[in-house]
Amino acid sequence: MIQSPRSFDSYTQALLLSIEEEHMGETYFATLAKFHTGSAKQALLAMSQIEAAVILAMQPLLDHLGLAVADQKTVRALGVAEAERLQGQSWQEFLIHMNRDYPAFLEEFDQILALSPASDLKYIQVLSSHERAFIDFGRAEQRGDTNSHRHLNDFLAEVTAFCG
């Protein structure tokens, strides 16, 4: 089934859910990397690093808003469990899933951008930009672009600079 974007009414609830999913994503991609080799493994490790960097980038905003992930251990365990469920999935199958389903997450981040106060926009843009990097990578990789990793590497450099 194709992922559909969820609808959000509350900025803070949507933001907190997104951060929980970044924690889950960090362990999800790191665990998936264990089941792949070569370029696929490197891409998945980069995606895990991106999730970690996004969490770090978002921390000042979460602190400002008084938000925190209640149970990081459980959320991260969900990421591992989901990746383990997909252990037998080929790289091409993963790319199909990514290209089909990740645009829904971008739509969700765009909703959060629309709900965000102007003072928070630079942080929420990080969420949107990281998803765009994942989508751009997935599309380029599926096309056979030998430089597809640039999307991940470029964003990782950007978010690292954002964190200072």
Side-chain angles (χ1 to χ4, degrees), residues 19-35 44-53 55 71-86 94 102 134:
I19 299 306
E20 288 174 349
E21 290 175 349
E22 297 307 304
H23 282 277
M24 186 171 32
E26 182 183 357
T27 57
Y28 170 76
F29 292 121
T31 303
L32 278 179
K34 295 176 184 178
F35 309 134
L44 291 163
L45 289 173
M47 292 171 85
S48 178
Q49 289 176 318
I50 287 170
E51 298 283 69
I55 293 165
D71 188 357
Q72 286 185 26
K73 185 177 180 180
T74 298
V75 170
R76 290 176 177 276
L78 290 171
V80 171
E82 178 64 14
E84 288 175 344
R85 188 180 69 75
L86 300 174
F94 176 76
Y102 284 26
F134 285 0

Side-chain angles (χ1 to χ4, degrees), residues 108-135:
E108 291 177 2
F109 292 136
D110 287 346
Q111 282 184 59
I112 297 171
L113 271 169
L115 293 169
S116 170
S119 59
D120 298 353
L121 287 176
K122 70 178 184 178
Y123 292 102
I124 307 307
Q125 188 60 51
V126 169
L127 287 172
S128 183
S129 294
H130 101 284
E131 203 65 36
R132 188 168 314 285
F134 285 0
I135 292 166

Side-chain angles (χ1 to χ4, degrees), residues 44-164:
L44 291 163
L45 289 173
M47 292 171 85
S48 178
Q49 289 176 318
I50 287 170
E51 298 283 69
V54 167
I55 293 165
L56 183 63
M58 298 299 293
Q59 196 58 53
L61 177 59
L62 296 178
D63 292 344
H64 173 73
L65 295 173
L67 299 175
V69 174
D71 188 357
Q72 286 185 26
K73 185 177 180 180
T74 298
V75 170
R76 290 176 177 276
L78 290 171
V80 171
E82 178 64 14
E84 288 175 344
R85 188 180 69 75
L86 300 174
Q87 183 171 353
Q89 186 179 56
S90 73
W91 181 239
Q92 287 305 313
E93 290 169 326
F94 176 76
L95 291 173
I96 290 167
H97 153 70
M98 206 177 158
N99 291 325
R100 180 190 65 217
D101 293 337
Y102 284 26
F105 302 127
L106 184 59
E107 287 183 44
E108 291 177 2
F109 292 136
D110 287 346
Q111 282 184 59
I112 297 171
L113 271 169
L115 293 169
S116 170
S119 59
D120 298 353
L121 287 176
K122 70 178 184 178
Y123 292 102
I124 307 307
Q125 188 60 51
V126 169
L127 287 172
S128 183
S129 294
H130 101 284
E131 203 65 36
R132 188 168 314 285
F134 285 0
I135 292 166
D136 290 347
F137 161 75
R139 289 177 178 161
E141 181 75 4
Q142 197 168 30
R143 281 194 316 267
D145 182 343
T146 58
N147 195 20
S148 61
H149 287 234
R150 77 184 175 284
H151 299 288
L152 302 175
N153 296 333
D154 289 352
F155 179 78
L156 191 54
E158 287 174 31
V159 74
T160 301
F162 179 88
C163 292

